[in-house]
């Protein structure tokens, strides 16, 4: 009997399909029944199913069918001869085309776009359109390794591996649904019948990443084959924000994913909210770097970004009783699906130790012997371009110990010592900008800087040596951009590697170094130029300090040959600062000496650095200095975050090509008097205001006054940015409204004032400003006489995701830094691009914005940069203000509480370095003009439209193209389909 049973079981197994093709048994679930499978459906279901497919019967068959099907009387998509077409990759893909007569300006814009597009072959355009909307096409053989360098066995293996994945993943709605559900089950390890929004986010992100990695791998393979000159962008910050919406939009898959999610019962906007902002930056410096990466990818440049993978970011801001409190930003708690940990890509990074001198065939050589060594592990973050097949890379470094665990210490009971190496190493990549008021804080900051530039330079050299046997071509294949002074220690590190590790002499190594580095300066404030104590550098990086001394000695010889024995000038230009026995390394001077190009980030800024902080260097090397006005990516900051306004713009221009050619926005000027267009523009602004009002109530518990003007100042809290000027003017406004009769208040323009930003943990004055904003808001918002006309709110923990709601919803944005202190600013560009009106000084990029949109469409006030200098040196009268003194007195007298706490902050205004009192009355005059303009709705709409129409210059695409042409000398390297 046992034998008979076994033979019967074997016969049954023989008749059944293989293990991998066997149908899964139905699962128990609530409110859902699965159709039973017939014997014919027990084999693996093909990708393209007919409507009789078991997984399709639960859906409406007619959704995918056209000619008659046995099941439903319609036609199955699996047998359809004509493929479905989907909208081309644009910022707005769901729109019905309607015939209309174009104005001459619009016709000119369309002609320019067509000229650009038609430079490509029709076949290439058709292929790109099909690939972006449906996927599934054949991968180009160029993604395989170069066959010339392979033997027959390796060629056969490459051909086999290519054939196994010879087509791209499909991107039609059904395929995306299957991809999402597969990741729910296999990646997230959840039930596909019941998964929450966070699990849905993880599944969708991995589904998108699958398609992103195809593009990333093929782009890197193409770069490797083409071997172009590459750009490496070194930055301590990359303020990336959320990735999901940006990636699906750049890949041209937003519409498909929206439809796929809707059919699965989810909403893309809701899922997007599940993603944490990547805590890899703080303010404008990091956000600029993120915009630059987007533009580099979209312009097909062979470029990579390098930075640090901060585990806890800078900090998460909390407001308790009006005070800022900091806590770690646990942005990696649920993992980061957009990064790829490259455990095999790791480099040793040393600290401390000593330098050995030895003889090498009669040449004196040096060898650094570090006393402490850690490892830098690579984490890759693919950056997709828009309107291109290229995907570039942001490589971030995480710090790991060379020896993870000391088992001997553990076994002897010293459990703390057992993990001490791990803790010391991981501290380096834990927090952005640790407080450097202590020696230990300074040491950690310098460690961070050396850590990431050392790993990055080792990575660049490893990649270069894959194609070259010597360093003769290094300057022709590598361009390194220093984003501010933080990565400047890389100059000494590259010199060390070339001389000590690769055996080059000083002359050759220095010639290479000065041809690959270029430096972007982001400040005009001398105190903001980074300096490190020589004692600290000697202890932490002894070999680097030797190299810096040698660089400085040779540089000062050149200075003497040019200027003679002008010792004051020599002292001011020296890389080593000496003052009363204290020595420090001037990192900006080191960057200037080693870089072939130095650029400012706005026209006024580039002129100021020539006249002030770098005046002597400009006289020595005028050819090094350039201007590259900053920009922002219009994809994230208009097309994606403000879709209603983007649709209005596209409809008016007759094209969506402004998403890659922002100068086309100038065509909006032709529509400024079009009543229908103006109506749509105003409706879009009101819809965005409603979104912002909802966010304001949710986060701050503040309901805006009815019909209020939305007035916004959101940026890093700093004295030179003059948030204090803003809040003192609000105190003045509060007292004026309070003193009015009910009849007089009817003429008041309601104002919703919003401020936001983080203060550095050690910046006491900035923290007091935050407290004052909250104290004023508490009084004003609870005053029944004033609150219908004025409210004040502080937006806690300001980040990219908040900005994507605040920027479209604002009506007035404040950029009011003291003239000559803001290098550029990029938030002003974002607000203008979204139709926001600016009140500001002629500082930073405001000067160029005024040139582009017209000063009549801005509210300008305050002293010019030349006037500021004259006031400070006493050659011009410093204006007083009774209203300023009254606002100060209100704070000192305790109208808003905490009078004693605010005292030290107000005391700094006695010297008034940033000219708050000098500019105060003119600022109030400009605010009165704002109120008058807002009462005239038609004038305000005109100013809003003209602001957007004049913002075409401020695309990061334009900025990066100028860097590529004028500084880096790199060419596009588009990946072929």
């Amino acid at each position: 009997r046992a034998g008979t049973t076994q033979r019967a079981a074997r016969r049954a197994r023989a008749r059944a399909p293989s293990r991998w093709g066997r149908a899964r048994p139905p699962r128990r679930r609530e409110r859902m029944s699965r159709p039973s499978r017939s014997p014919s459906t027990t084999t693996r279901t093909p990708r393209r199913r007919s409507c009789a497919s078991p997984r399709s019967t639960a859906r409406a068959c007619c959704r995918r069918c056209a000619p008659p099907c046995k099941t439903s009387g319609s036609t199955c998509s699996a047998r359809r001869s004509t493929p479905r077409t989907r909208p081309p990759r644009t910022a707005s893909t769901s729109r019905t085309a309607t015939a209309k007569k174009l104005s001459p300006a619009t016709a000119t814009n369309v002609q320019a776009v067509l000229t650009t597009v038609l430079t490509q072959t029709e076949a290439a355009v058709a292929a790109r359109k099909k690939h972006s909307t449906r996927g599934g096409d054949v991968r180009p053989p160029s993604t395989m390794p170069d066959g010339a360098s392979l033997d027959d066995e390796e060629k056969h293996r490459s051909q086999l591996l290519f054939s196994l994945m010879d087509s791209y993943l499909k991107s039609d709605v059904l395929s995306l649904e299957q991809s999402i559900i597969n990741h729910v089950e296999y990646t997230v390890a959840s039930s596909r019948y019941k998964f929450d929004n966070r699990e849905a986010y993880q599944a969708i992100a991995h589904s998108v990443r699958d398609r992103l990695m195809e593009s990333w791998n093929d782009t890197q393979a193409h770069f490797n084959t083409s071997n172009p000159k590459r750009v490496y962008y070194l930055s301590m910050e990359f303020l990336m924000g959320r990735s999901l919406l940006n990636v699906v939009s750049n890949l041209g898959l937003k519409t498909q994913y929206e439809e796929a999610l809707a059919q699965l019962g989810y909403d893309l906007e809701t899922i997007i909210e599940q993603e944490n902002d990547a805590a890899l930056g703080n303010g404008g410096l990091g956000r600029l770097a993120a915009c630059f990466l987007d533009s580099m990818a979209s312009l097909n440049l062979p470029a990579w970004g390098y930075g640090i993978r901060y585990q806890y970011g800078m900090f998460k801001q909390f407001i308790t009783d009006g005070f800022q409190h900091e806590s770690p930003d646990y942005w990696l708690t649920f993992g980061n699906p957009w990064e790829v940990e490259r455990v095999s890509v790791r480099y040793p990074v040393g600290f401390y130790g000593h330098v050995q001198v030895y003889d090498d065939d009669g040449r004196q050589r040096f060898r650094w012997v570090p006393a402490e060594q850690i490892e830098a592990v690579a984490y890759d973050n693919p950056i997709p371009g828009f309107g291109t097949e290229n995907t570039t890379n942001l490589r971030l470094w995480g710090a790991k110990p060379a020896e993870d665990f000391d088992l001997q210490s553990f076994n002897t009971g010293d459990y703390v010592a057992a993990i001490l190496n791990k803790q010391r190493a991981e501290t380096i990549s834990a927090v952005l900008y640790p407080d450097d008021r202590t020696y230990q804080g300074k040491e950690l900051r310098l460690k961070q800087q050396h850590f990431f530039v050392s790993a990055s330079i080792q990575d660049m050299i490893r990649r270069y040596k894959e194609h070259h046997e010597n360093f003769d071509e290094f300057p022709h294949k590598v361009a390194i951009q220093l984003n501010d002074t933080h990565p400047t220690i890389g100059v000494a590190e590259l010199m060390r590697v070339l001389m000590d590790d690769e055996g080059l002499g000083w002359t050759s190594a220095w010639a290479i170094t000065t041809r690959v580095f270029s430096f972007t300066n982001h400040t005009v404030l001398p105190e903001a130029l980074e300096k490190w104590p020589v004692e600290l550098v000697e202890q932490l990086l002894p070999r680097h300090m030797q190299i810096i001394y040698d660089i400085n000695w040779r540089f000062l010889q050149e200075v003497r040959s040019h200027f003679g024995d002008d010792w004051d000038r020599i002292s001011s230009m020296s890389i080593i600062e000496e003052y009363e026995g204290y020595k420090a390394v001037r990192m900006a001077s080191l960057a200037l000496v080693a870089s072939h190009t130095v650029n400012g980030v706005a026209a006024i800024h580039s002129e100021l650095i020539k006249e002030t902080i770098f005046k002597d260097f400009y006289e020595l090397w005028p050819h090094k200095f350039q201007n590259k006005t900053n920009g922002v990516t219009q994809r994230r900051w208009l097309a994606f975050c403000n879709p209603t306004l983007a649709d209005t713009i596209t409809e008016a221009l007759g094209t969506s090509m402004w998403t890659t050619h922002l100068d086309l926005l100038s065509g909006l000027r032709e529509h400024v008097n079009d009543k229908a267009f103006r109506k749509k523009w105003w409706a879009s602004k009101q819809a965005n205001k409603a979104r912002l009002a909802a966010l304001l109530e949710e986060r701050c518990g503040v309901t805006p006054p009815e019909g209020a003007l939305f007035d916004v100042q959101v940026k890093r809290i700093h004295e030179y940015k003059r948030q204090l000027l803003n809040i003192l003017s609000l105190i003045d406004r509060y007292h004026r409204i309070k003193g009015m009769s009910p009849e007089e208040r009817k003429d008041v323009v309601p104002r919703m004032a919003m401020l936001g930003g983080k203060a550095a943990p050690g910046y006491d004055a900035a923290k007091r400003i935050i407290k004052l904003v909250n104290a004023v808001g508490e009084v004003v918002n609870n005053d029944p006489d004033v609150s219908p006309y004025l409210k004040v709110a502080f937006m806690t923990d300001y980040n990219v995701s908040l900005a994507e709601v605040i920027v479209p919803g604002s009506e007035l944005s404040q950029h009011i830094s003291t003239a000559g202190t803001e290098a550029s600013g990029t938030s002003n560009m974002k607000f203008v691009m979204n139709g926001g009106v600016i009140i500001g000084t002629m500082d930073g990029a405001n000067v160029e914005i005024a040139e582009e949109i017209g000063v009549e469409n801005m509210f300008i006030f305050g002293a010019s940069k030349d006037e500021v200098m004259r006031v400070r040196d006493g050659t011009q009268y410093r204006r007083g203000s009774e209203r300023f003194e009254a606002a100060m007195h209100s704070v000192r007298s305790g109208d808003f509480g905490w009078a004693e706490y605010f005292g030290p902050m107000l005391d700094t205004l006695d010297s008034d370095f940033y000219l708050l009192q000098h500019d105060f009355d003119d600022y109030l005059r400009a605010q009165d003009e704002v109120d008058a303009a807002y009462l005239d709705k038609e004038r305000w709409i005109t100013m809003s439209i003209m602001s957007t129409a004049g913002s075409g210059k401020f695309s990061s695409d334009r900025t990066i193209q100028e860097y590529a042409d004028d500084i880096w000398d790199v060419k596009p390297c588009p990946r072929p389909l």
Side-chain angles (χ1 to χ4, degrees):
R1 183 180 301 172
T4 302
T5 303
Q6 291 172 357
R7 285 193 296 273
R10 284 196 296 270
R11 286 194 299 270
R13 284 196 296 271
R15 288 194 301 270
S18 68
R19 175 189 174 195
W20 304 112
R22 188 175 301 140
R24 299 180 65 162
R27 294 184 176 181
R28 296 184 63 184
R29 56 200 178 275
E30 296 179 1
R31 302 185 211 154
M32 184 179 293
S33 60
R34 186 174 184 177
S36 60
R37 294 181 183 269
S38 63
S40 62
T41 64
T42 56
T43 58
R44 168 173 271 187
T45 308
R47 279 185 180 274
R48 303 189 66 172
R49 300 181 178 85
S50 70
C51 293
S53 172
R55 290 195 181 184
S56 296
T57 53
R59 303 188 183 97
C61 180
C62 58
R63 176 168 58 84
R64 303 191 211 289
C65 298
C69 169
K70 295 179 181 180
T71 303
S72 65
S74 23
T75 299
C76 174
S77 61
R79 296 192 296 270
R80 190 170 53 228
S81 59
T82 304
R84 288 180 65 180
T85 59
R86 294 193 180 277
R89 180 187 301 180
T90 63
S92 176
T93 55
S94 56
R95 184 175 298 109
T96 303
T98 56
K100 70 179 208 176
K101 186 176 181 180
L102 301 178
S103 69
T106 304
T108 302
N109 286 336
V110 173
Q111 183 179 6
V113 171
L114 291 175
T115 302
T116 301
V117 172
L118 291 178
T119 57
Q120 307 175 52
T121 64
E122 292 183 4
V125 173
R128 182 168 287 109
K129 176 181 176 181
K130 174 182 177 296
H131 176 67
S132 66
T133 56
R134 295 188 63 82
D137 47 329
V138 177
R139 301 177 85 152
S142 59
T143 59
M144 289 193 298
D146 183 10
S149 60
L150 305 178
D151 57 29
D152 290 341
E153 184 177 349
E154 290 173 328
K155 286 181 182 178
H156 175 74
R157 180 173 177 272
S158 294
Q159 291 170 354
L160 171 63
L161 293 174
F162 176 79
S163 67
L164 293 174
M165 296 184 68
D166 60 355
S167 61
Y168 292 105
L169 292 172
K170 294 182 179 180
S171 297
D172 58 276
V173 174
L174 177 59
S175 298
L176 295 182
E177 291 174 358
Q178 293 171 332
S179 174
I180 293 168
I181 295 304
N182 281 340
H183 279 294
V184 168
E185 185 138 329
Y186 302 127
T187 305
V188 184
S190 183
S191 167
R192 64 184 184 274
Y193 303 109
K194 185 179 180 182
F195 52 99
D196 60 24
N197 285 336
R198 183 169 292 280
E199 292 169 328
Y201 162 71
Q202 289 287 339
I204 295 159
H206 281 91
S207 170
V208 176
R209 197 184 81 164
D210 289 345
R211 288 145 181 82
L212 189 59
M213 291 310 301
E214 288 182 326
S215 175
W216 187 92
N217 281 321
D218 286 358
T219 301
Q220 304 316 309
H222 177 62
F223 287 169
N224 192 53
T225 302
S226 303
N227 190 25
K229 183 176 184 179
R230 298 178 186 239
V231 175
Y232 299 109
Y233 195 83
L234 303 186
S235 178
M236 282 291 285
E237 306 182 38
F238 290 93
L239 194 58
M240 305 300 294
R242 291 170 174 162
S243 295
L244 178 55
L245 177 61
N246 196 69
V247 171
V248 296
S249 299
N250 274 10
L251 292 177
L253 297 175
K254 181 172 182 283
T255 301
Q256 293 95 308
Y257 270 101
E258 282 180 329
E259 185 178 344
L261 283 171
Q263 293 179 13
L264 294 173
Y266 294 85
D267 174 65
L268 180 60
E269 288 191 13
T270 304
I271 298 302
I272 288 170
E273 294 297 318
Q274 302 301 312
E275 182 177 0
N276 293 325
D277 273 42
L280 300 171
N282 173 37
L285 185 74
R287 187 53 237 168
L288 178 74
C291 287
F292 279 5
L293 289 180
D294 180 88
S295 290
M296 289 176 195
S298 299
L299 293 173
N300 296 317
L301 297 182
W304 275 30
Y306 280 107
I308 297 178
R309 180 184 182 264
Y310 300 105
Q311 189 172 359
Y312 303 113
M314 185 174 176
F315 60 83
K316 198 169 185 66
Q317 183 188 55
F318 291 95
I319 302 297
T320 305
D321 294 329
F323 292 95
Q324 171 181 294
H325 294 273
E326 304 90 25
S327 70
D329 189 343
Y330 297 103
W331 71 285
L332 289 170
T333 299
F334 299 101
N336 180 15
W338 305 106
E339 69 180 9
V340 180
E341 183 180 8
R342 305 288 187 186
V343 292
S344 60
V345 180
R346 54 178 64 213
Y347 298 99
V349 179
F351 301 105
Y352 309 108
H354 63 278
V355 179
Q356 293 178 345
V357 181
Y358 66 99
D359 183 80
D360 181 16
D361 293 333
R363 292 177 57 190
Q364 187 182 57
R365 299 285 298 275
F366 298 87
R367 181 188 298 115
W368 178 29
V369 183
E372 178 183 317
Q373 190 162 291
I374 65 171
E375 289 191 331
V377 177
Y379 291 80
D380 286 342
N381 297 259
I383 309 295
F386 180 86
T388 176
E389 303 306 322
N390 278 29
T391 294
T392 57
N393 193 45
L394 168 60
R395 175 159 285 180
L396 303 174
W397 301 105
K400 305 292 182 183
E403 295 181 2
D404 199 7
F405 188 76
D406 186 349
L407 184 60
Q408 184 176 355
S409 296
F410 187 86
N411 287 338
T412 58
D414 195 347
Y415 305 127
V416 174
I419 60 172
L420 188 59
N421 287 338
K422 178 180 174 65
Q423 291 177 333
R424 285 172 59 88
E426 293 180 351
T427 298
I428 293 175
S429 57
V431 176
L432 169 65
Y433 298 147
D435 192 343
D436 62 353
R437 288 177 294 179
T438 64
Y439 182 87
Q440 292 80 4
K442 288 182 174 65
E443 181 182 53
L444 181 55
R445 280 209 185 189
L446 184 55
K447 268 189 170 184
Q448 287 183 331
Q449 295 176 7
H450 171 66
F451 163 75
F452 101 87
V453 298
S454 175
S456 302
I457 287 173
Q458 291 181 71
D459 199 41
M460 298 173 204
I461 290 177
R462 187 267 308 163
R463 190 174 297 110
Y464 172 82
K465 290 172 71 174
E466 289 177 356
H467 297 273
H468 304 86
E469 295 181 354
N470 58 52
F471 284 86
D472 294 346
E473 292 297 308
F474 196 76
H476 302 291
K477 293 298 181 180
V478 173
I480 303 175
Q481 186 69 38
L482 304 175
N483 189 29
D484 214 359
T485 56
H486 306 127
T488 304
I489 195 64
V491 171
E493 174 67 1
L494 180 59
M495 287 290 292
R496 184 195 67 81
V497 172
L498 292 176
M499 293 190 299
D500 298 356
D501 296 346
E502 302 297 337
L504 273 66
W506 178 278
T507 302
S508 298
W510 184 244
I512 290 171
T513 299
T514 54
R515 292 170 65 190
V516 300
F517 278 108
S518 50
F519 166 54
T520 300
N521 170 260
H522 287 276
T523 186
V524 294
L525 304 176
E527 62 271 19
L529 297 176
E530 200 169 41
K531 302 173 186 177
W532 295 117
V534 166
E535 178 186 8
L536 171 62
V537 182
E538 285 179 330
Q539 178 186 5
L540 189 65
L541 304 169
R543 178 61 177 138
H544 298 72
M545 193 65 243
Q546 289 181 348
I547 293 171
I548 291 171
Y549 272 131
D550 284 347
I551 293 172
N552 191 49
W553 185 84
R554 288 169 169 80
F555 165 62
L556 293 183
Q557 301 312 304
E558 182 177 354
V559 173
R560 288 187 67 189
S561 67
H562 191 276
F563 294 112
D565 292 336
D566 185 345
W567 298 110
D568 289 338
R569 187 191 295 263
I570 291 172
S571 176
S572 67
M573 296 180 71
S574 173
I575 297 172
I576 308 299
E577 177 185 73
E578 297 186 55
Y579 179 73
E580 296 182 354
Y582 173 79
K583 292 184 179 181
V585 180
R586 295 168 171 155
M587 303 307 286
S589 297
L590 177 60
L592 280 161
V593 172
S595 298
H596 59 80
T597 305
V598 179
N599 71 278
V601 290
I604 184 176
H605 171 240
S606 296
E607 292 305 313
L608 274 170
I609 62 176
K610 295 176 188 177
E611 299 168 1
T612 55
I613 55 176
F614 300 147
K615 182 176 183 294
D616 293 330
F617 289 93
Y618 177 66
E619 292 181 13
L620 178 63
W621 295 314
H623 62 279
K624 281 192 177 187
F625 287 77
Q626 294 187 18
N627 173 60
K628 295 289 174 279
T629 300
N630 284 341
V632 300
T633 170
Q634 65 268 28
R635 270 82 63 180
R636 180 183 284 269
W637 292 111
L638 178 53
F640 304 159
C641 76
N642 197 347
T644 57
L645 190 64
D647 288 346
T648 301
I649 292 170
T650 297
E651 182 180 354
L653 297 179
T655 176
S656 63
M657 288 294 289
W658 58 267
T659 53
T660 52
H661 300 79
L662 194 62
D663 53 344
L664 293 177
L665 290 183
S666 61
L668 294 176
R669 294 189 176 107
E670 299 296 319
H671 300 272
V672 72
N673 295 318
D674 183 333
K675 291 183 178 179
F677 173 70
R678 292 170 68 89
K679 183 178 180 180
K680 291 178 181 177
W681 190 276
W682 182 253
S684 171
K685 293 297 293 182
Q686 296 306 302
N688 287 318
K689 278 184 69 175
R691 286 178 61 214
L692 178 51
L695 178 70
L696 191 64
E697 190 161 3
E698 175 189 341
R699 292 182 67 93
C700 305
V702 177
T703 302
E706 184 178 352
L709 165 66
F710 279 22
D711 172 1
V712 174
Q713 187 183 21
V714 284
K715 52 187 73 211
R716 178 168 55 94
I717 308 297
H718 198 288
E719 289 168 283
Y720 85 82
K721 294 180 183 289
R722 300 205 294 191
Q723 286 94 348
L724 187 54
L725 178 66
N726 186 359
I727 196 64
L728 289 174
S729 77
L730 292 173
I731 292 173
D732 176 83
R733 180 180 288 263
Y734 166 72
H735 285 300
R736 282 193 295 127
I737 296 173
K738 186 74 171 174
M740 292 178 179
S741 66
E743 192 66 25
E744 290 173 323
R745 290 174 187 157
K746 292 180 181 179
D747 296 329
V748 172
V749 176
R751 182 80 65 108
M752 181 66 245
M754 288 166 271
L755 294 90
K758 294 180 179 180
Y763 195 174
D764 182 70
K767 288 188 169 183
R768 292 176 193 269
I769 291 172
I770 291 176
K771 173 58 181 175
L772 181 60
V773 173
N774 286 287
V776 171
E778 186 176 358
V779 172
V780 172
N781 299 346
N782 292 291
D783 189 321
D785 294 330
V786 178
S787 59
Y789 309 99
L790 176 64
K791 285 191 177 178
V792 179
F794 185 84
M795 301 293 284
T796 308
D797 202 39
Y798 178 63
N799 58 20
V800 174
S801 295
L802 276 180
E804 289 172 347
V805 179
I806 293 172
V807 171
S810 73
E811 294 176 293
L812 179 74
S813 64
Q814 303 212 27
H815 309 277
I816 57 178
S817 55
T818 309
T821 58
E822 184 74 83
S824 170
T826 52
S827 63
N828 45 7
M829 302 173 187
K830 299 173 190 125
F831 283 104
V832 164
M833 203 175 283
N834 283 268
V837 180
I838 283 181
I839 180 171
T841 54
M842 292 299 275
D843 191 31
N846 280 359
V847 177
E848 290 164 84
I849 290 174
E851 293 171 355
E852 295 296 317
I853 73 175
V855 292
E856 68 277 8
N857 295 308
M858 296 173 64
F859 300 99
I860 303 298
F861 75 95
S864 66
K865 68 178 180 66
D866 295 330
E867 183 181 347
V868 169
M869 292 180 182
R870 291 195 298 270
V871 170
R872 284 177 176 168
D873 63 25
T875 58
Q876 180 169 329
Y877 175 71
R878 187 184 291 264
R879 289 192 296 267
S881 169
E882 292 183 2
R883 294 170 70 175
F884 181 85
E885 293 292 348
M888 291 267 288
H889 176 73
S890 179
V891 178
R892 288 189 186 277
S893 63
D895 289 351
F896 306 98
W898 301 90
E900 186 175 342
Y901 178 76
F902 296 132
M905 175 185 67
L906 300 178
D907 291 341
T908 63
L909 299 179
D910 293 339
S911 59
D912 199 13
F913 182 77
Y914 295 109
L915 276 65
L916 274 71
Q917 182 166 199
H918 183 82
D919 284 348
F920 193 72
D921 285 348
D922 199 28
Y923 179 51
L924 296 181
R925 186 267 312 159
Q927 290 285 10
D928 290 340
E929 290 184 6
V930 170
D931 290 340
Y934 196 72
L935 286 173
D936 185 349
K937 176 181 173 183
E938 295 306 316
R939 180 189 172 193
W940 192 270
I941 293 174
T942 298
M943 295 178 74
S944 176
I945 294 171
M946 295 300 286
S947 294
T948 301
S951 63
K953 175 181 178 178
F954 304 104
S955 169
S956 52
D957 293 351
R958 185 266 315 154
T959 310
I960 287 300
Q961 190 62 61
E962 291 179 1
Y963 273 98
D965 295 339
D966 303 338
I967 297 179
W968 302 330
D969 189 28
V970 295
K971 307 300 180 187
C973 189
R975 174 171 69 86
L977 277 174

